[in-house]
Amino acid sequence: MITIPRRLLCLIACFVFTASSLTLSCANAADQLIRSRAVSQGNTASVQPSSRSGWSPQSSRQTAQRNQTVASRQPSLVSRSAASSVKQVGYLDGGCNCDSCSSGGVLGGPGCGMEASCGLEVGCGLEEYGVCSCDACSGQLMSGCDSGFCDGGCDGMCGGAEIDCFPLFLPILRVDWSRFSFFAGSQAFQSPMNYPALDAAGQPGGGCGCFGYFHVFNEGRDLRIWLGRYLSAQLGVRATQTNLEGTEFTSGRMHQVFVTGGFFRRVDYGLQYGLVLDYMNQDWYYQSDLLQLRGELSWKVSACHEFGFQFMAGMTDQTVTTEAGGFTSSETIEPVDQYRAFYRRALGTTGHLTAFLGGTSEEHFIWGSEMEIPLQTNWSLLVGSAYFSPGDDTALDANEAEGWNLSLGFAFRPGVTGPKQRYRNPLFNVADNGSFFLFRR
């Protein structure tokens, strides 16, 4: 919570009072100038030439009649005193009743809620509730502030009460919402870590598929201002909650956090590329923190069609302690290196259809697809799938070594993404269990 010092409040009051005085004096001067011009124009209209060629009494009478007609058509000004040329009025009919303001406080009622004359006065605009008295404020505006800083000198302005700091909350900062994307939906996945080692021989005694929900935000921004190059940056976070009722070997829920950040360049035609770092934290029947590097290189043959290559390279591995089914064991896990060839078809400004196939360092064959289908200006439908088919050389059983990931959700972009904003629309999705696939050694 931010507080405004008393000195700053009174300095603001002095500034507003000076501006109001200048406005009033300018209005009086303009009023006097208009009246003086109108009088001079009226005198000029009544003056006629004293002699003309061909003068006759009849022509003189006709001229006088025309002058009277013209004079009657000219607008007339209603005289009024200079002191009443500009009057301050309330926002609501009837103005503000100072007695009701004094008894009801600054926000005493609908008739005195926020008017300039009593609700938030220049001299007593930010007092604590119930402090300001309109009678005291309606006198000399800056009486009691001779010091100029009002360190306790403004007590006489508001009924003898001390003006203290007025509490304010942080303002709402302006946000460029066209840079942000929000995602939410459901997911299901399986990896070798869904089969924990339970006995002394290290043989798994059971497994499960994981089902739950995800929440994501992703942001992209232009870096040309700082780097002088046509590059953009992105940063996103994904949080997942799965196995909400536990499994047969553990009662704990699985919580995952993925963080993706890096650089990319989007183009209309030609070479397009990007590189990001993925971080994964997993809290289940074991704790792990892992990193991988993910990159993309593609060629856009047109505004709609794109062919390219993706890779995922594990940066770290980790030996973790597992506790499942009453047994404690130790396992080493690592991200699987992936290599994918893909085709992407653009659907509008933000939508796309991507199909890919490839392999992994653990002899898996991968295929899958991702779709973002625009529904309205700010909404899209998300559908994704990936399947890891194990090879013959894997040390694990085929049903344990395989993996898959399914996701279904919606994307929401608060700011309308136009042609200019699409170049900073994040090139990479935030990592998930399909792009960040774990394997047990």
Side-chain angles (χ1 to χ4, degrees):
M1 185 171 66
I2 298 176
T3 59
I4 300 179
R6 292 175 291 179
R7 295 183 178 182
L8 181 58
L9 289 177
C10 290
L11 286 177
I12 295 174
C14 293
F15 174 80
V16 175
F17 173 69
T18 304
S20 303
S21 301
L22 291 176
T23 304
L24 181 60
S25 60
C26 292
N28 292 336
D31 193 13
Q32 295 176 1
L33 179 61
I34 293 174
R35 286 201 299 271
S36 62
R37 287 184 177 179
V39 172
S40 61
Q41 291 176 358
N43 294 337
T44 303
S46 61
V47 176
Q48 299 296 330
S50 58
S51 62
R52 293 179 56 184
S53 60
W55 177 85
S56 64
Q58 183 178 4
S59 63
S60 177
R61 288 193 298 271
Q62 294 176 353
T63 301
Q65 292 176 358
R66 285 197 300 270
N67 292 339
Q68 292 177 359
T69 304
V70 172
S72 63
R73 293 178 180 177
Q74 292 182 351
S76 60
L77 296 176
V78 179
S79 61
R80 59 182 179 182
S81 61
S84 61
S85 58
V86 177
K87 290 186 177 180
Q88 191 178 41
V89 297
Y91 295 134
L92 299 178
D93 294 338
C96 175
N97 187 338
C98 289
D99 295 333
S100 60
C101 282
S102 301
S103 61
V106 176
L107 301 178
C112 299
M114 298 294 289
E115 295 83 5
S117 58
C118 286
L120 289 175
E121 299 82 5
V122 176
C124 299
L126 293 176
E127 303 83 10
E128 295 179 350
Y129 294 154
V131 170
C132 179
S133 171
C134 291
D135 296 334
C137 294
S138 59
Q140 186 178 356
L141 186 61
M142 297 308 295
S143 61
C145 290
D146 298 335
S147 62
F149 296 99
C150 301
D151 287 336
C154 286
D155 296 345
M157 293 179 58
C158 295
E162 182 181 357
I163 299 179
D164 203 348
C165 295
F166 187 83
L168 293 178
F169 294 99
L170 288 174
I172 298 176
L173 301 179
R174 182 180 180 274
V175 178
D176 185 2
W177 291 109
S178 63
R179 298 201 311 259
F180 291 86
S181 303
F182 298 91
F183 309 86
S186 57
Q187 64 170 7
F189 69 93
Q190 177 180 304
S191 73
M193 296 308 300
N194 288 41
Y195 293 85
L198 299 180
D199 55 18
Q203 297 298 321
C208 70
C210 297
F211 175 82
Y213 302 92
F214 65 87
H215 317 278
V216 189
F217 88 86
N218 207 1
E219 178 200 3
R221 64 176 62 223
D222 191 3
L223 297 180
R224 185 173 55 178
I225 300 176
W226 295 278
L227 301 181
R229 298 179 179 274
Y230 290 94
L231 284 177
S232 299
Q234 71 171 82
L235 179 65
V237 177
R238 179 189 299 267
T240 71
Q241 305 85 37
T242 54
N243 292 333
L244 303 182
E245 301 300 330
T247 64
E248 63 184 50
F249 53 83
T250 179
S251 59
R253 296 181 179 181
M254 176 189 290
H255 298 277
Q256 295 175 310
V257 176
F258 298 88
V259 180
T260 297
F263 305 91
F264 65 92
R265 183 190 180 190
R266 284 187 176 272
V267 297
D268 295 322
Y269 302 94
L271 186 64
Q272 183 169 274
Y273 54 86
L275 183 67
V276 294
L277 181 66
D278 296 326
Y279 164 77
M280 175 185 180
N281 171 268
Q282 187 163 258
D283 180 11
W284 195 16
Y285 67 95
Y286 64 93
Q287 298 276 347
S288 66
D289 296 278
L290 297 170
L291 293 173
Q292 76 168 9
L293 199 63
R294 183 157 48 117
E296 177 178 313
L297 184 67
S298 64
W299 185 267
K300 297 193 70 172
V301 298
S302 67
C304 296
H305 303 282
E306 178 182 355
F307 297 89
F309 172 77
Q310 295 175 336
F311 73 90
M312 294 82 170
M315 303 291 292
T316 60
D317 57 16
Q318 186 175 2
T319 301
V320 298
T321 300
T322 62
E323 296 181 359
F327 294 89
T328 301
S329 179
S330 179
E331 300 184 54
T332 300
I333 59 176
E334 62 182 357
V336 172
D337 297 341
Q338 302 182 40
Y339 313 96
R340 302 178 177 182
F342 71 89
Y343 163 74
R344 182 178 294 141
R345 171 70 162 84
L347 303 175
T349 305
T350 59
H352 66 90
L353 167 62
T354 304
F356 58 86
L357 56 86
T360 74
S361 57
E362 299 296 335
E363 305 298 331
H364 291 88
F365 181 70
I366 314 172
W367 70 86
S369 63
E370 298 175 352
M371 289 184 290
E372 180 174 348
I373 306 171
L375 301 178
Q376 291 182 344
T377 304
N378 304 100
W379 291 91
S380 300
L381 175 65
L382 303 176
V383 181
S385 66
Y387 180 69
F388 298 81
S389 177
D392 298 333
D393 298 334
T394 179
L396 302 177
D397 294 337
N399 66 312
E400 301 173 26
E402 75 169 352
W404 44 268
N405 182 74
L406 298 172
S407 61
L408 176 66
F410 293 92
F412 174 64
R413 293 178 172 84
V416 178
T417 305
K420 182 179 180 180
Q421 284 79 16
R422 72 171 181 264
Y423 298 109
R424 63 187 184 189
N425 184 38
L427 181 64
F428 296 88
N429 294 329
V430 181
D432 60 9
N433 291 283
S435 59
F436 206 124
F437 186 66
L438 299 184
F439 200 79
R440 184 177 71 238
R441 288 183 182 177

